[in-house]
Amino acid sequence: QDIMNLAENWTTDPVRVEIEPESVANASVEQKIYIVTAEQKINVLYNLITQQNLDRVMVFVNRRDETRDLTTKLKALGLRVAMLSGEIPQHKRLRTLENFRNGRLRVMVATDVAGRGIHIEGISHVVNYTLPEDAEDYVHRIGRTGRAGATGTSVSFACEEDAFLIPAIETLLGEKVLCTHPEPELLA
């Protein structure tokens, strides 16, 4: 409103132009939600990355402690992984992004600090390890893939703790998201 007041006071016959996207989410991103238990998430994530031989995967969680915990688990499983959250100093964030960009890291576990404004070519998959509490954050997270004409895949995990967030996401998107159980090989 302050900008509108300023425009009215300092311009002659101002015109307001509003632009809305045709679609809230990028149409080049395939979206699916796996219905899992909290205990199954780590197996499904690890198997998804290794069985599909994924190179650049962004995995989003909601809290800093979750980034630390998940990063530790994935490193123990032998994956090249780093974390990106608000507790990481800026110079280390930039180094982590550069290592992810140039392929030295296979997986980046991040909070929503990385959900907006970061563009890295070649991110094939975005995984919502925990569903975001704000539906708009979902759109920003999945927007890290399927950029600049490329296609991408968003896989979200919904468990007993956060499945109730799905309706708000679907309302914002204006469409249903495919909710399914993971394939048996992903549960192994």
Side-chain angles (χ1 to χ4, degrees):
Q1 187 57 47
D2 290 340
I3 300 298
M4 296 305 297
N5 292 339
L6 186 65
E8 289 174 12
N9 288 333
W10 290 94
T11 59
T12 306
D13 300 323
V15 176
R16 181 178 177 152
V17 177
E18 291 185 36
I19 300 172
E20 286 192 33
E22 292 179 25
S23 172
V24 175
N26 187 340
S28 63
V29 177
E30 175 194 356
Q31 301 173 58
K32 62 180 143 187
I33 298 175
Y34 283 142
I35 306 301
V36 294
T37 65
E39 294 78 28
Q40 292 172 323
K41 286 182 177 185
I42 189 69
N43 286 348
V44 174
L45 177 61
Y46 176 77
N47 289 330
L48 179 73
I49 293 167
T50 57
Q51 290 175 11
Q52 294 185 17
N53 200 27
L54 304 180
D55 284 330
R56 273 194 201 100
V57 181
M58 284 196 77
V59 180
F60 284 99
V61 295
N62 292 337
R63 299 186 326 262
R64 294 174 183 181
D65 63 312
E66 292 172 323
T67 61
R68 288 189 302 269
D69 182 51
L70 185 56
T71 299
T72 300
K73 287 178 181 176
L74 292 174
K75 279 183 180 179
L77 291 168
L79 294 177
R80 294 182 329 268
V81 59
M83 65 181 198
L84 198 65
S85 72
E87 70 183 11
I88 307 296
Q90 183 65 20
H91 70 281
K92 286 187 180 180
R93 283 189 219 173
L94 294 173
R95 190 169 357 132
T96 298
L97 285 170
E98 185 56 33
N99 287 338
F100 187 61
R101 183 177 284 115
N102 65 29
R104 280 184 236 151
L105 295 172
R106 189 175 188 181
V107 181
M108 183 166 20
V109 179
T111 59
D112 287 314
V113 73
R116 299 175 189 235
I118 292 178
H119 174 66
I120 296 175
E121 301 261 341
I123 296 175
S124 65
H125 285 67
V126 168
V127 177
N128 287 301
Y129 196 79
T130 53
L131 287 174
E133 294 174 7
D134 183 346
E136 285 188 22
D137 287 335
Y138 174 87
V139 173
H140 290 291
R141 287 177 179 186
I142 71 171
R144 302 307 96 209
T145 187
R147 300 175 69 90
T151 59
T153 302
S154 164
V155 178
S156 301
F157 298 157
C159 69
E160 58 277 10
E161 297 168 10
D162 56 7
F164 69 92
L165 297 166
I166 296 171
I169 292 168
E170 291 178 333
T171 298
L172 179 65
L173 294 174
E175 63 185 22
K176 295 281 186 194
V177 179
L178 173 65
C179 293
T180 184
H181 293 282
E183 296 80 12
E185 60 270 15
L186 291 178
L187 291 168

